Amino acid sequence: MQVATSDGLVVGSAFGHHARMPDCDIHPTAVIHPQAELEAGVEVGAYAVIGPDVRIGAGTIVGPHAVLEGPLRLGPRNHLAAHVTLGLPPQDDGYAGEPTELVIGSDNRFREFFTAHRASTKEDGVTRIGSHNLFMAYSHIGHDGRIGDRVTISNASQLAGHVQVENRAYISAVCGVHQFVRIGSLSMVGGGAVVTQDVAPYCTVTGNRARLRGLNHRGLQRAGLDAGERRRIRQAYDLVFRRGLTLEQARQAIADDPGLATPWIEALVAFMTGSDRGLVR
């Protein structure tokens, strides 16, 4: 339900707040700060609270009892289920109220009670979430996180601050990911895992503490990699994880084989090179 005024403003709150919200569907119990910006086609459910310096992209659905606090940039066509909370301050003892941000792309699905926090001041001041992701109920993205595209994070999995998750990674239910850990592209983290080191691209890990279980064959197939590319990835995987080589020796062995000079394997090598916490092996 929306109530339009003569100057084009839409009253979106039982308490009299309003904002510029063209062609939006606003429940009368929603509380929307006048400095919030909602683009065309946004829907806001009952008792949702949207604070100042929140920008919501066209076609986004904000479910009942959701809480959005800025600075927050939310792209188009996102779907927030009931009780989603976005943009609250970081859970960081050193944070002193600085205007850090949460920036979110498009076409994400945030299920019930999902939470994501703004950044601290220890990096660039932005927590980033990409596009086309699925975040299941009760999952959490900590401050300064970097989430790519087409990532799935299952129910009640918790990512600490500064965690990076690359494209198409899959994190199963009830996992805990230590701060500053990186989860590589097309990797899978098994249910209940506690991850304290980096998970290399294309790999599957499980357990507390997480241990390597093999390649994520199904994920590679679903991503459309042909049999030849999957075979080359397997060769590189064997060099890194099964031959007893140091990481430097494995990198050199990969570099010495011209058949392994593909973008997929180059991404694996770059990930290994940039690992500060060490790899799950």
Side-chain angles (χ1 to χ4, degrees), residues 73-127:
R73 305 291 176 261
L74 187 61
R77 298 178 305 279
N78 289 289
H79 190 167
L80 284 58
H83 298 278
V84 166
T85 302
L86 300 177
L88 269 65
Q91 296 178 137
D92 185 306
D93 286 340
Y95 179 74
E98 296 88 351
T100 57
E101 291 185 284
L102 170 60
V103 177
I104 297 173
S106 66
D107 301 284
N108 296 291
R109 289 174 289 163
F110 301 97
R111 294 304 303 265
E112 304 87 274
F113 292 95
F114 169 82
T115 56
H117 291 161
R118 299 199 311 273
S120 70
T121 59
K122 295 176 180 176
E123 293 190 30
D124 65 355
V126 182
T127 301

